[in-house]
Amino acid sequence: MENNTSLQQQLLEAGVHFGHLKKKWNPKMLPYIFAEKKGIHIIDLNKTVEGLQEAAAALKSIAKSGKKIMFVATKKQAKEIVSDCAKKINMPYVTERWLGGMLTNFNTVRKSVKKMQSIEKMLNDGSIDNLTKKERLTLTRDKDKMEKVLGGIAQISRVPAALFLVDIGHEHIALAEAKRLNITTFGMVDTNSDPNKVEFAIPANDDATKSIAIIVNYITAAIAEGLAERLAEKDDDDNSGESEESAEAKAARFEQKQADGDDRNKRARGATPTKRRVPNSGPGGRRPAMGGGPR
């Protein structure tokens, strides 16, 4: 990660510091406001850097633990940026309409995802050709609609560990559901929002494309680092396990060989010759001849 001065310069050039008009500001954002200029509140970039780095460190840790982080950005200027970044790191995302209950009623949403995947399978294996033209058209349209809304969450089987929201005011339904399920929330917070509604607030302009891009790219880079570290640790553990197993196997074979040798030596030293059994004497005190019958 770059130093704070360089990061501040990039944020300044991207217009991250421009807030909303004074009449639209939220008083709870006062600690993050540097000044007012021509009726517009200016965000303190020191606070932005601080919040961004804190959020990035937390998201990196979550990614390193193997948990999923869902990106939510249904604003027009943020859709493409967020979907591209989420795809790069293989994280779920929602950039179209947020379906009510997408988190709180996740099992029902998963059924819709499975239906979408079932139709997609039919299209790929050609089994849809057995249906009538009208049925094929209906299924294709249904699949396209579901793909648009659910395509970004098709690969997750459980509720994510964290949510990253571009505009917490615009994504208030998603935020409410995350709060209800105690999911950790991160968000870009403009001067018209309440920063206390998310655990990790990043004070920034959430309307400008450049501002959204620099924040989301920074967050994505941090998550990518966490994923890379997780992969490296996993490889190290696998290699270590293989070498330890090999050494243990060799030691076990050596010990078994030694034990087998000791057992053979003990048997050779301690074995007593087998005594020949002599039959008891017969009548008259004579012992019967060994090995032969009457001649």
Side-chain angles (χ1 to χ4, degrees), residues 13-143:
E13 292 172 358
V16 173
H17 58 297
F18 288 119
H20 283 264
L21 294 173
K22 182 179 179 181
K23 61 182 180 180
K24 293 184 178 181
W25 79 299
N26 190 317
K28 293 181 180 179
M29 279 294 291
L30 185 61
Y32 302 99
I33 294 175
F34 176 73
E36 179 192 336
K37 187 176 182 181
K38 296 181 180 180
I40 297 175
H41 283 112
I42 305 300
I43 296 170
D44 187 347
L45 287 181
N46 289 315
K47 298 289 186 180
T48 301
V49 170
E50 183 181 329
L52 183 57
Q53 291 180 337
E54 185 179 356
L59 287 167
K60 178 181 176 180
S61 178
I62 292 172
K64 189 175 179 181
S65 69
K67 297 176 182 177
K68 290 292 184 180
I69 300 156
M70 181 182 284
F71 287 73
V72 184
T74 59
K75 294 177 72 169
K76 183 179 178 181
Q77 56 269 49
K79 288 182 180 182
E80 187 176 350
I81 297 168
V82 169
S83 62
D84 288 346
C85 287
K87 288 175 184 176
K88 287 178 184 177
I89 52 177
N90 195 30
M91 288 293 175
Y93 62 92
V94 177
T95 54
E96 292 300 324
R97 183 169 61 93
W98 178 272
L99 296 177
M102 191 170 280
L103 294 178
T104 53
N105 197 12
F106 189 74
N107 290 334
T108 302
V109 174
R110 281 298 303 165
K111 289 179 183 178
S112 298
V113 171
K114 288 178 180 178
K115 181 181 178 182
M116 177 187 72
Q117 292 172 337
S118 176
I119 298 172
E120 189 173 356
K121 184 180 178 182
M122 291 173 67
L123 288 168
N124 292 333
D125 62 19
S127 59
I128 198 171
D129 296 335
N130 299 324
L131 303 177
T132 64
K133 185 177 180 180
K134 184 178 180 180
E135 289 173 331
R136 289 200 303 270
L137 185 61
T138 301
L139 286 177
T140 303
R141 285 176 176 172
D142 289 344
K143 186 254 179 187

Side-chain angles (χ1 to χ4, degrees), residues 222-289:
I223 294 173
E225 284 183 17
L227 293 173
E229 289 181 9
R230 174 178 171 78
L231 184 61
E233 287 183 1
K234 188 176 180 181
D235 290 341
D236 290 343
D237 290 342
D238 290 343
N239 294 334
S240 174
E242 287 176 5
S243 59
E244 287 176 4
E245 184 178 355
S246 177
E248 288 176 1
K250 288 179 181 178
R253 283 197 298 272
F254 179 76
E255 290 176 2
Q256 186 62 41
K257 190 175 180 180
Q258 291 290 98
D260 291 344
D262 290 345
D263 288 344
R264 283 195 296 269
N265 292 336
K266 286 178 180 178
R267 285 197 297 270
R269 289 195 302 269
T272 55
T274 304
K275 291 184 179 180
R276 197 172 178 187
R277 184 177 178 186
V278 180
N280 295 329
S281 56
R286 277 185 81 183
R287 292 183 178 177

